């Protein structure tokens, strides 16, 4: 068993707390409460009907954004627990890491961003996640949003990158120039481990990847395949594939643990404050795991994300998002009542973007066909 990094764990005494003060709970820590608030949020439930990579219309076996989120949380909690970090802070961040995703995965995010840029504005799913937990979720009589702790909100806005002072004026309160604690740093790589291995699995099931292709592109895959063939000569192809996949997850998670322990040792950090002040993130893969991860990523880009079927799917999604965005922009009176009120204080493009970003794939399709294809509606 590894010794972990208990000295680098986020210290409860440093908790900056909630925007609206609340008394402590009798038996749940602040981060456990944040985790529970995220699980009970509407935005969390909507993840079930949001595409991860493969649209739900293709098969019920593929990950959606909710099952992906659960896989990220499982991996992240393992890493946090072995490193002796605050597992609840990590779990809250893992469960919330994708709640800001619009419908249709990256195609949806890119198209909303493209629409917003024509108004000199932007769409980013991490920023949108912050708006959800700060404003859009309405579950409390005393305050808007979920009133999450500062640390969870900071982890949300620094999910994939850090920012310098002055770079993002709206995020000035979230310690620009400083790294987030290790509990937050590990989410991004747990996310990568989860989706690279899961997309390999789903891509194989979808028939987009061949074994030869995977063996040629990723030496780690080829090694594990050879092991599985020797060890389980009578197993089916699918069973051997699962054996390889499990070993790949293990290789990446172990590489993440070792890489982080090495980085912590060589950087001589002694506390969470040192982690924050260190010029780069300390959660990282060993060079071997980084190479395996990069090879998988490259393979997936070529064989899965770049496959004609998924490229065509994304093109259609982008066109439909653009069309619905333009429709609401020109006919804001067709927005639901809860979105017409903010039109008085915010520009229409922002309100339309918020409305579409919150939609599930299924709700988007229904809205699109009701408003833009009324002739195709079943009578
Ligand atoms: Mg993710």
């Amino acid at each position: 068993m590894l010794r972990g990094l208990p000295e680098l764990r986020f210290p409860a005494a440093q908790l900056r707390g909630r925007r609206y003060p609340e008394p402590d709970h009798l038996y749940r820590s602040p981060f456990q409460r944040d985790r529970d608030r995220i699980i009970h949020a509407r935005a969390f439930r909507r993840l079930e009907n949001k595409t991860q990579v493969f649209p739900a219309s293709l098969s019920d076996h593929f990950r959606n954004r909710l099952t992906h989120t659960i896989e990220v949380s499982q991996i992240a909690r393992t890493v946090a627990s072995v490193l002796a970090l605050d597992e609840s802070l990590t779990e809250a961040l893992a469960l919330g890491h994708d709640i800001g995703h619009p419908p249709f995965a990256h195609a949806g995010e890119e198209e909303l961003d493209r629409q917003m840029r024509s108004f000199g504005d932007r769409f980013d799913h991490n920023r949108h996640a912050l708006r959800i937990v700060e404003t859009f979720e309405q579950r409390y009589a005393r305050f808007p949003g979920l009133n999450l702790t500062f640390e969870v909100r900071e982890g949300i806005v620094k999910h994939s990158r850090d920012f310098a002072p002055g770079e993002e004026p709206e995020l000035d309160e979230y310690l620009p120039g400083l790294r987030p604690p290790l509990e937050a740093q590990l989410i991004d790589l747990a996310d990568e481990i989860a989706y690279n291995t899961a997309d390999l699995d789903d891509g194989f099931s979808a028939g987009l990847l061949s074994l030869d292709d995977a063996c040629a592109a990723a030496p780690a895959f080829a090694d594990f395949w050879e092991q599985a063939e020797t060890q389980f000569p009578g197993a089916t192809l699918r069973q051997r594939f699962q054996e390889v996949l499990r070993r790949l997850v293990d290789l990446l998670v172990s590489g993440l643990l070792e890489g982080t322990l090495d980085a912590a040792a060589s950087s001589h950090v002694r506390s969470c404050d040192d982690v924050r002040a260190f010029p780069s993130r300390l959660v990282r893969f060993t060079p071997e795991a980084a190479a395996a991860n990069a090879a998988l990523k490259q393979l997936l880009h070529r064989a899965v994300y770049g496959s004609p079927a998924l490229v065509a799917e994304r093109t259609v999604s982008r066109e439909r998002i653009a069309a619905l965005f333009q429709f609401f922009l020109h006919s804001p009176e067709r927005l639901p009542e809860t979105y017409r009120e903010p039109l008085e204080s915010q520009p229409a493009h922002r309100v339309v973007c918020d409305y579409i970003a919150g939609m599930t794939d299924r709700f988007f399709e229904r809205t699109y066909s009701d408003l833009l294809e009324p002739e195709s509606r079943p009578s």
Side-chain angles (χ1 to χ4, degrees):
M1 190 70 181
L2 302 167
R3 194 189 70 83
L5 300 165
E7 68 282 10
L8 304 184
R9 175 190 168 106
F10 177 80
Q14 275 186 24
L15 198 85
R16 283 179 169 76
R18 306 184 188 280
R19 209 180 278 290
Y20 305 91
E22 292 181 62
D24 282 340
H25 193 269
L26 202 56
Y27 44 82
R28 286 181 302 157
S29 75
F31 296 142
Q32 286 173 334
R33 289 174 91 184
D34 284 1
R35 172 201 60 199
D36 300 346
R37 287 174 186 203
I38 290 168
I39 289 177
H40 290 274
R42 277 186 166 188
F44 184 76
R45 292 196 291 280
R46 290 200 300 264
L47 292 170
E48 188 186 3
N49 278 301
K50 293 202 179 194
T51 299
Q52 175 65 17
V53 172
F54 295 93
S57 53
L58 288 181
S59 157
D60 287 344
H61 295 304
F62 298 140
R63 274 84 176 167
N64 58 44
R65 214 159 267 283
L66 179 63
T67 58
H68 158 72
T69 292
I70 295 170
E71 293 182 355
V72 174
S73 163
Q74 177 267 310
I75 289 170
R77 276 191 294 115
T78 300
V79 175
S81 134
V82 176
L83 294 180
L85 303 174
D86 190 314
E87 202 177 317
S88 300
L89 172 54
T90 293
E91 188 180 12
L93 287 170
L95 291 173
H97 90 280
D98 267 354
I99 56 167
H101 260 289
F104 309 118
H106 291 286
E109 179 164 25
E110 280 165 21
E111 187 55 37
L112 283 182
D113 190 45
R114 199 176 72 86
Q115 296 291 333
M116 293 297 275
R117 278 169 186 264
S118 62
F119 297 94
D121 211 333
R122 297 298 305 267
F123 177 79
D124 164 83
H125 77 267
N126 294 323
R127 295 284 289 276
H128 190 66
L130 185 68
R131 290 159 64 77
I132 288 173
V133 302
E134 287 264 81
T135 317
F136 300 147
E137 286 291 330
Q138 296 193 359
R139 309 187 56 82
Y140 296 87
R142 287 190 297 123
F143 43 75
L146 302 177
N147 199 26
L148 301 178
T149 57
F150 172 89
E151 289 71 23
V152 169
R153 284 179 282 128
E154 182 201 13
I156 288 174
V157 295
K158 291 181 180 169
H159 168 49
S160 17
R161 63 182 205 95
D162 303 328
F163 44 88
E167 195 185 333
E168 306 262 4
E170 286 169 54
L171 302 178
D172 260 357
E173 68 176 298
Y174 296 108
L175 310 177
L178 293 184
R179 257 35 65 206
L182 292 184
E183 285 85 349
Q185 290 189 25
L186 65 87
I187 303 297
D188 202 24
L189 292 183
D191 189 21
E192 284 208 17
I193 296 174
Y195 68 66
N196 283 333
T197 52
D199 294 347
L200 197 65
D201 190 15
D202 291 347
F204 185 71
S205 300
L208 296 176
L209 275 168
S210 73
L211 277 176
D212 289 347
D213 212 7
C215 287
F221 187 99
D223 289 349
F224 290 144
W225 182 256
E226 211 180 297
Q227 283 176 25
E229 280 202 307
T230 319
Q231 216 180 335
F232 306 107
T236 63
L237 191 70
R238 179 92 212 136
Q239 286 168 332
R240 271 182 268 163
F241 185 84
Q242 290 301 315
E243 290 295 331
V244 174
L245 206 62
R246 178 176 306 117
R247 287 167 170 80
L248 276 176
V249 176
D250 214 48
L251 171 93
L252 295 172
V253 172
S254 305
L256 180 58
L257 289 167
E258 282 168 40
T260 304
L261 288 167
D262 291 347
S266 61
S267 62
H268 306 290
V269 289
R270 300 258 180 275
S271 67
C272 182
D273 281 340
D274 291 349
V275 169
R276 282 189 170 289
F278 201 73
S280 61
R281 292 191 175 205
L282 291 167
V283 170
R284 57 183 78 156
F285 287 123
T286 53
E288 301 75 50
N293 188 55
L296 287 181
K297 210 176 226 197
Q298 238 178 4
L299 166 68
L300 290 165
H301 272 281
R302 179 167 51 77
V304 178
Y305 314 140
S307 66
L310 289 191
V311 170
E313 187 79 37
R314 285 201 299 273
T315 307
V316 172
S317 302
R318 289 187 67 147
E319 286 167 4
R320 292 162 79 93
I321 287 198
L324 195 62
F325 191 99
Q326 291 298 323
F327 173 85
F328 282 125
L329 203 59
H330 295 110
S331 312
E333 73 284 356
R334 303 297 295 272
L335 284 164
E337 203 183 326
T338 42
Y339 283 88
R340 285 200 303 269
E341 197 188 323
L343 280 173
E344 285 159 27
S345 54
Q346 293 173 55
H349 66 270
R350 169 51 63 192
V351 178
V352 170
C353 182
D354 285 341
Y355 182 44
I356 293 179
M359 292 182 181
T360 61
D361 294 14
R362 197 161 58 192
F363 183 77
F364 179 93
E365 294 293 5
R366 209 161 55 220
T367 309
Y368 184 93
S369 65
D370 282 355
L371 296 174
L372 295 170
E373 294 173 328
E375 69 287 353
S376 69
R377 214 177 342 169
S379 53

